[in-house]
Amino acid sequence: MDAQFWDMKWQKNQIGFHLSAVNPLLVKYFPVLGPKEGARIFVPLCGKTLDIHWLLQRGMKVVGVELSQIAVEQLFSELGITPQISQVASNMLCFKAENLNIFVGDIFALSRALLGCVQAIYDRAALVALPPAMRITYAEHLIDISGKVGQLLVTLGYDQSCIAGPPFSVTQQDIQRYYGADYAIMCLDNTSVAGGLKGGVPATESVWLLKPE
């Protein structure tokens, strides 16, 4: 993970990837994931997403991990919550409040012991933020630290030759390669991105349900 790249994005407020509303695909398809009230949901590379507000409002517990401390500080500020901050590893902080734990650091430094038990994963911004060379390692790490729980995964598909990521294009074949050995994979939705990406490149946002096998 290029911590300097992402930290600079947050310092300069170059956060076009941050949605100004809750992702409607989360609202529509989260029930398909099937978590009960009080379930602990893992949101990797969470930024300060409003999706966390939505999950908390629906009685979920949320645990996230994010490289940028700026993003995490803004998340808690916008929630109106003062967190307890502790050093949980040499290279990892934890911002903690009722029903909300956000680790600040590299996801690859997050262990299963630190993460604790989770019942599901919501990945809207993590897989698409990673270049192809890192994705298999990421998928393996995510499966390992979570205990292979179910996932609601949101991806983007577009002609990668037109623009450079992130966000990167992820194909169905990619998802099968990363997760097919451990999950049954179901596509729930394909939606055209209004206005396209970065200057109008046509793109499709897809939602996937990953059920452990």
Side-chain angles (χ1 to χ4, degrees):
M1 295 294 290
D2 189 343
Q4 187 174 8
F5 171 85
W6 289 107
D7 197 50
M8 188 63 68
K9 288 283 187 184
W10 283 98
Q11 286 184 33
K12 293 184 176 181
N13 200 37
Q14 296 174 344
I15 54 172
F17 49 83
H18 173 71
L19 299 182
S20 59
V22 176
N23 190 327
L25 296 173
L26 170 65
V27 176
K28 185 174 182 179
Y29 291 109
F30 187 70
V32 180
L33 192 56
K36 298 178 181 179
E37 185 173 346
R40 201 161 182 257
I41 312 300
F42 181 36
V43 185
L45 279 60
C46 61
K48 61 170 185 174
T49 177
L50 296 177
D51 297 347
I52 289 177
H53 299 232
W54 187 88
L55 290 167
L56 292 171
Q57 289 165 1
R58 272 137 194 91
M60 301 298 156
K61 299 177 182 178
V62 178
V63 55
V65 62
E66 167 58 42
L67 272 172
S68 171
Q69 186 168 333
I70 295 170
V72 178
E73 289 171 348
Q74 290 181 8
L75 170 66
F76 278 88
S77 175
E78 291 169 11
L79 283 165
I81 298 172
T82 301
Q84 294 180 332
I85 305 172
S86 58
Q87 187 96 33
V88 293
S90 60
N91 54 355
M92 186 82 65
L93 295 175
C94 183
F95 283 55
K96 184 175 182 179
E98 185 178 5
N99 296 330
L100 180 61
N101 285 26
I102 305 294
F103 294 96
V104 181
D106 191 329
I107 189 171
F108 295 108
L110 183 63
S111 67
R112 190 168 183 174
L114 277 178
L115 177 63
C117 182
V118 295
Q119 282 71 53
I121 296 167
Y122 169 56
D123 180 346
R124 183 196 75 83
L127 188 65
V128 297
L130 299 174
M134 298 183 67
R135 289 186 204 143
I136 289 179
T137 302
Y138 164 77
E140 291 174 346
H141 183 62
L142 197 63
I143 291 167
D144 177 57
I145 63 175
S146 72
K148 199 173 80 171
V149 297
Q151 296 190 42
L152 190 66
L153 171 65
V154 182
T155 61
L156 288 167
Y158 63 92
D159 185 349
Q160 189 74 82
S161 67
C162 293
I163 53 174
F168 295 97
S169 180
V170 177
T171 68
Q172 182 172 357
Q173 291 74 23
D174 290 333
I175 295 169
Q176 189 65 42
R177 186 164 68 254
Y178 306 147
Y179 292 114
D182 295 280
Y183 291 95
I185 299 168
M186 181 186 304
C187 184
L188 302 177
D189 199 341
N190 288 300
T191 304
S192 294
V193 176
L197 291 178
K198 297 183 179 180
V201 173
T204 300
E205 194 168 33
S206 300
V207 185
W208 309 88
L209 177 66
L210 279 55
K211 296 186 69 173
E213 288 193 319

